[in-house]
Amino acid sequence: MRLAWTIGGAPEFRQFGSDLLGFTGWWSVALCVAAGAVAVALERVPAWRPALAGVAWAVAGALVAAAAILLPELVGFLLFTVGPYFEPIAFVSRLGCVTGAILLALATARYQRRTRGGCPDCCRTVTPGTRRAAPARWAWWAAYAAVAGLVTRFAAQVVVGFDGLTHDASVIGLEIGLLLAGVLLPLALVHCWGEIWPGWVPLLAGRTIPRLVLLVPGFGLGAGIVAYFGMGMAQLLSGSVSQFSDAFLWVALSAYCVLGLGLLVGSSDYHLRTRAACTACGR
């Protein structure tokens, strides 16, 4: 599709001029070719190659960054609004881009486990009997760094005021979602009430929380926030004009990226800590 659009002409996209950010024309073709080539290499190379894993993670990250606009679009869907600039073809293209990133990330993770001498069934390398019951110290730091990032972001907004902010439903919903994701979610990843429903939750108190309830938004929002606001920082570096000062934008965008990275790190620890033991090796 990228090749056909590059040679024969892509559809007209009104809002941004392209369906992807940063990767347009032949750059988008090169990104897709790189993703395919790396995916094949991950299956064909039998030994551990740090360079291959690094390139694979970089390509997966580039795919997510290229489709960064997908984050506010999905928030709009949750609020039952798509906005005046919603374009179905661009949305499907971005969704396909992120899907490719997820599949490539899963393949890369499996390659890393498979080539490090782990269990042939689950590919884990953790020694039996060493599973952690408590979060790692680095996970605690990451969770509270995420909260600090959110506090910094809103503190910066208080300093400059709230005049000129858009009242679009998707943007407002994104801010509310970030408020929840930046406080409840990171803390749930490192506290016991992230594994067992607390007593104040009606009907569910005392029951085990399904892992995906935290892992899906943890990894999804973490990656989306880093990609979306990371691209914003890239645009700021390129000299794009905004109604806000550069100082405010640097603080706000950096705070968002800290929030997203904190969610990713906390989710990684939560995943390792709460996954079920392998029936073959007991790890």
Side-chain angles (χ1 to χ4, degrees):
M1 184 193 74
R2 306 307 317 181
L3 185 61
W5 281 4
T6 301
I7 296 177
E12 181 180 353
F13 300 106
R14 295 167 296 168
Q15 187 174 10
F16 299 103
S18 175
D19 55 323
L20 301 180
L21 297 179
F23 293 88
T24 59
W26 287 105
W27 285 110
S28 66
V29 176
L31 181 61
C32 291
V33 170
V38 170
V40 172
L42 291 172
E43 291 297 318
R44 297 292 182 87
V45 176
W48 167 240
R49 296 288 186 269
L52 175 59
V55 171
W57 284 117
V59 173
L63 287 168
V64 174
I69 300 301
L70 190 65
L71 178 63
E73 287 183 324
L74 291 177
V75 171
F77 275 116
L78 293 176
L79 298 175
F80 303 101
T81 177
V82 294
Y85 297 105
F86 177 76
E87 296 169 313
I89 295 178
F91 174 79
V92 172
S93 173
R94 292 166 189 150
L95 191 62
C97 198
V98 170
T99 301
I102 294 172
L103 293 175
L104 183 57
L106 292 174
T108 307
R110 178 173 176 78
Y111 165 77
Q112 291 184 230
R113 296 192 298 266
R114 174 172 56 83
T115 56
R116 289 180 175 180
C119 169
D121 282 10
C122 68
C123 302
R124 297 177 187 174
T125 58
V126 179
T127 304
T130 60
R131 294 172 61 83
R132 290 184 289 102
R137 183 178 296 274
W138 48 266
W140 279 88
W141 281 107
Y144 281 94
V147 176
L150 182 73
V151 172
T152 302
R153 163 64 183 91
F154 283 100
Q157 190 66 59
V158 170
V159 171
V160 300
F162 294 88
D163 295 336
L165 290 180
T166 178
H167 298 290
D168 182 77
S170 62
V171 175
I172 296 175
L174 178 61
E175 295 292 336
I176 296 174
L178 287 171
L179 183 61
L180 296 176
V183 178
L184 291 180
L185 184 54
L187 296 182
L189 292 170
V190 295
H191 286 276
C192 60
W193 47 271
E195 299 180 39
I196 304 295
W197 290 108
W200 47 266
V201 179
L203 304 178
L204 296 175
R207 297 186 180 184
T208 301
I209 299 177
R211 301 173 67 244
L212 294 182
V213 171
L214 269 67
L215 288 179
V216 171
F219 281 118
L221 281 175
I225 289 171
V226 171
Y228 184 71
F229 294 103
M231 290 300 287
M233 294 182 71
Q235 292 177 341
L236 187 59
L237 282 172
S238 66
S240 77
V241 179
S242 171
Q243 59 181 321
F244 299 106
S245 67
D246 286 352
F248 166 77
L249 290 175
W250 276 116
V251 172
L253 296 177
S254 300
Y256 275 133
C257 288
V258 170
L259 167 59
L261 290 172
L263 285 175
L264 290 175
V265 173
S267 298
S268 298
D269 177 79
Y270 184 86
H271 162 66
L272 296 174
R273 193 176 74 252
T274 61
R275 62 184 180 178
C278 173
T279 56
C281 66
R283 299 172 183 173

